[in-house]
Amino acid sequence: MLVGWIWRDPLAAVAKRIVALVESPSRRTWTIWVTIAGILLRVSWAYLFPVNPSSDAQTYVLLARNLLEHGRFETNGTFAYWPPGYPFFLLGWLALVDNTRAAILFANLALFATTLWLLLRLGDSVRRPAAARISCLLLACWPSVWMGAGIAQKEQVLIPL
């Protein structure tokens, strides 16, 4: 805190430059570039480090597949005691794309794009476009979020919610 107080004027100048840099492109240009950057990060990671669903992710995929193929929310012949949110969300993507890894990736990319849109709308509602743009940039580049792009996890649905 002492360092922050001592360097408050230079830090404020840097913050003003960052805000000016973030606000300089048009909203449309900013949104397109941040979306492209986020998608490229996620697709590249999923391609370079493919993941086979295991543990919770495997259960989510199994539940969604059972719903799709048999119309039942169950595992191993018994009704599942799992929250149905992510399996039901994944169900639609598995119906569109037969490849499980691709369905998970597309689902997570759609959730990413939805979250970006929601962040921009939130920034508009509070009249802070720079904050919304910085939030979108952080979301696009946050390692734990883009590294999970190929994993079936309920947290991906919770982010836009």
Side-chain angles (χ1 to χ4, degrees):
M1 285 177 38
L2 180 63
V3 171
W5 183 76
I6 292 170
W7 287 87
R8 69 186 177 277
D9 293 332
L11 289 174
V14 168
K16 285 180 185 178
R17 278 189 235 135
I18 290 171
V19 168
L21 182 66
V22 165
E23 288 181 333
S24 63
S26 71
R27 177 188 167 123
R28 181 182 172 134
T29 303
W30 177 264
T31 304
I32 289 169
W33 282 109
V34 170
T35 303
I36 289 171
I39 288 172
L40 287 175
L41 273 171
R42 285 155 176 76
V43 170
S44 299
W45 185 266
Y47 176 76
L48 292 172
F49 302 99
V51 177
N52 287 324
S54 63
S55 189
D56 289 358
Q58 185 177 22
T59 302
Y60 295 140
V61 171
L62 178 67
L63 289 168
R65 283 266 174 223
N66 282 341
L67 278 167
L68 180 64
E69 295 167 4
H70 308 294
R72 297 181 60 92
F73 190 71
E74 64 181 21
T75 58
N76 300 323
T78 62
F79 288 108
Y81 300 102
W82 286 80
Y86 192 79
F88 275 88
F89 176 75
L90 190 57
L91 170 65
W93 292 96
L94 288 171
L96 291 173
V97 182
D98 193 39
N99 182 305
T100 301
R101 283 186 187 162
I104 292 167
L105 180 61
F106 289 144
N108 289 339
L109 289 175
L111 290 167
F112 164 68
T114 302
T115 305
L116 279 180
W117 180 78
L118 290 169
L119 279 174
L120 288 171
R121 295 290 308 210
L122 180 62
D124 288 345
S125 71
V126 295
R127 307 283 192 259
R128 298 285 187 250
R133 289 181 179 199
I134 291 170
S135 298
C136 288
L137 183 61
L138 288 172
L139 175 72
C141 299
W142 202 264
S144 64
V145 179
W146 57 262
M147 287 179 182
I151 302 171
Q153 52 187 353
K154 70 180 179 312
E155 289 79 9
Q156 296 285 351
V157 176
L158 295 175
I159 293 171
L161 290 178

